[in-house]
C-alpha cells in the first residue's frame, strides 16, 4: 500500500518514514501554508492513502499567528481531505486534546462538545470540521502529549534541564497521558489500511497513552528511568503563566478506537524506555 505522508521532519513523520510504501513530503515539496499545492501533490502522487502528519504546533506563538495556524491546521487538511474524496482514497489526520476546554476529570470522548481554550486548539478544530465536510473516507485521530527521540518534546527537554539543574518546578495540575509518536504512526497506518477496506469506519477517534499522569509525575518518571539526579517540585498552572491557556484535563477516552479498529491504548512506559534507548540514555 502506497501512503503519502505530509510532513518529513516532525516527530510523527519521522516515525512513519521507516515503513515500506511510505512517501514523506517536506515543506519544500508541499507547503501547508499553500493548501492548493497540498491537494495538487495528492493528485500527482496518486497514492492509495494519505496521512497528514504535519501541523502548526507552536502553541504559544499561535496566539499571535492565528491566521497562519488556521491555514496550516485548518485549510490545508481540508484541501487534502477534499482531494482524497475526489480520488476515492482514505485520509487520516492527527488532531489534539486541545479542541476541548479541559474541564472536569472524566476522559473526553470523541462525541463530546468542543470548546478550545487557545488559538492552536481553534485552528485544529477548524481542520477537523473541514475534513468532515469534505465528504470522503477519513479518520481524525486526536492524541495528546506526543513524545519521541525526534524533534523537540517534553522528554528531551527534561533530560536537558535535569542534567543542568538540581531542581525543577513542573506543573502538577494538568492531567493526561504521554503518547509515543512511534505508537501513533503504527495506529495511523493500520487505520489507513482498514479504511481502504471499509470506508464505513470513517469518523473521529482518540488515541493516547496510559496510565494517566501529570507533567510533574511524568518528569519524575523520566528522571527515574534515565537515572538523572534532579528533584521535581510540584507547582500549579497558575504559577507558570503562558501566552496560550492549557487544558487541565487532557484525558482521552480511547475505547471506540479499540472497538472499531482493534487498536488498544499503548502503555507509555515501555515507549518511554524505547525513547531513552534511542537517545542513548538507557542501555
Amino acid at each position: 500500500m502506497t501512503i503519502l505522508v505530509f510532513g518529513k521532519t516532525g516527530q510523527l513523520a519521522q516515525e512513519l518514514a521507516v515503513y515500506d510504501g511510505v512517501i514523506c513530503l517536506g515543506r519544500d515539496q508541499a507547503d501547508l501554508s499553500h493548501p492548493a499545492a497540498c491537494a495538487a501533490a495528492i493528485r500527482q502522487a496518486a497514492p492509495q492513502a494519505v496521512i497528514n502528519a504535519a501541523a502548526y504546533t507552536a502553541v504559544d506563538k499561535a496566539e499571535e499567528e492565528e491566521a497562519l495556524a488556521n491555514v496550516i491546521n485548518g485549510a490545508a487538511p481540508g484541501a487534502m481531505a477534499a482531494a482524497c474524496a475526489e480520488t476515492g482514497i482514505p485520509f487520516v489526520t492527527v488532531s489534539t486534546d486541545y479542541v476541548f476546554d479541559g474541564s472536569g476529570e472524566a476522559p473526553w470522548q470523541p462525541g463530546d462538545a468542543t470548546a478550545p481554550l487557545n488559538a492552536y486548539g481553534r485552528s485544529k478544530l477548524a481542520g477537523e470540521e473541514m475534513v468532515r465536510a469534505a465528504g470522503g473516507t477519513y479518520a481524525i485521530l486526536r492524541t495528546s502529549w506526543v513524545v519521541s527521540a525526534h524533534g523537540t518534546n517534553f522528554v528531551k527537554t527534561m533530560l536537558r534541564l535535569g542534567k543542568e539543574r538540581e531542581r525543577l518546578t513542573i506543573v502538577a495540575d494538568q492531567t493526561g497521558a504521554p503518547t509515543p509518536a512511534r505508537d501513533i504512526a503504527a495506529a495511523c497506518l493500520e487505520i489507513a489500511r482498514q479504511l481502504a477496506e471499509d470506508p464505513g469506519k470513517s469518523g473521529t477517534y482518540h488515541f493516547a497513552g496510559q496510565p494517566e499522569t501529570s507533567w510533574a509525575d511524568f518528569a519524575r518518571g523520566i528522571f527515574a528511568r534515565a537515572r538523572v539526579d534532579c528533584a521535581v517540585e510540584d507547582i500549579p498552572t497558575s504559577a507558570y503563566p503562558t501566552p496560550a491557556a492549557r487544558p487541565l484535563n487532557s484525558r482521552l477516552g480511547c475505547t471506540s478506537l479499540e472497538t472499531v479498529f482493534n487498536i488498544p491504548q499503548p502503555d507509555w512506559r515501555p515507549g518511554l524506555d524505547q525513547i531513552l534507548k534511542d537517545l542513548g540514555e538507557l542501555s
Side-chain angles (χ1 to χ4, degrees):
M1 188 175 191
T2 303
I3 299 180
L4 187 67
V5 171
F6 285 87
K8 197 169 189 177
T9 60
Q11 297 187 75
L12 177 55
Q14 290 193 63
E15 296 292 353
L16 285 164
V18 303
Y19 287 90
D20 291 338
V22 168
I23 302 167
C24 292
L25 299 182
R27 188 177 302 173
D28 57 332
Q29 298 164 295
D31 189 338
L32 270 69
S33 64
H34 299 285
C38 297
I42 294 172
R43 297 187 188 99
Q44 180 178 359
Q48 293 168 289
V50 174
I51 297 173
N52 178 30
Y56 183 111
T57 57
V59 175
D60 288 323
K61 195 174 181 180
E63 295 298 306
E64 301 175 357
E65 295 184 344
E66 186 164 2
L68 178 60
N70 280 332
V71 173
I72 294 173
N73 292 343
M80 294 174 200
C84 289
E86 290 170 13
T87 53
I89 61 174
F91 177 63
V92 180
T93 191
V94 177
S95 192
T96 174
D97 61 285
Y98 277 46
V99 298
F100 299 112
D101 66 11
S103 60
E105 296 182 354
W108 294 101
Q109 302 302 323
D112 287 344
T114 53
L117 298 176
N118 54 45
Y120 167 72
R122 290 190 292 272
S123 72
K124 295 295 283 186
L125 181 58
E128 290 189 9
E129 292 168 346
M130 292 181 194
V131 168
R132 295 188 193 100
T137 300
Y138 74 93
I140 295 165
L141 192 66
R142 294 177 181 144
T143 190
S144 65
W145 300 16
V146 181
V147 292
S148 71
H150 312 294
T152 301
N153 59 70
F154 189 77
V155 172
K156 295 178 75 174
T157 299
M158 288 300 102
L159 289 172
R160 175 175 56 82
L161 294 178
K163 293 174 182 177
E164 296 173 353
R165 307 177 190 178
E166 295 181 354
R167 175 179 296 272
L168 291 173
T169 56
I170 307 291
V171 169
D173 59 352
Q174 295 176 25
T175 302
T179 314
R182 186 165 298 177
D183 293 321
I184 302 172
C188 286
L189 290 168
E190 179 61 19
I191 290 168
R193 184 188 69 78
Q194 292 193 37
L195 283 175
E197 297 174 354
D198 185 359
K201 293 183 176 181
S202 293
T204 302
Y205 298 92
H206 290 172
F207 183 71
Q210 62 173 334
E212 67 181 51
T213 188
S214 68
W215 287 116
D217 283 340
F218 185 31
R220 291 186 182 95
I222 294 166
F223 294 150
R225 295 300 296 143
R227 296 194 173 115
V228 173
D229 187 15
C230 180
V232 174
E233 178 184 344
D234 291 3
I235 60 169
T237 297
S238 59
Y240 188 72
T242 55
R246 263 66 171 178
L248 297 181
N249 176 21
S250 289
R251 301 171 181 88
L252 293 176
C254 304
T255 304
S256 62
L257 187 71
E258 183 166 10
T259 300
V260 176
F261 290 96
N262 196 29
I263 300 174
Q265 270 188 279
D267 187 324
W268 58 263
R269 293 167 295 189
L272 172 61
D273 283 352
Q274 186 58 58
I275 291 168
L276 295 175
K277 288 177 183 176
D278 291 344
L279 293 170
E281 300 288 346
L282 189 66
S283 58

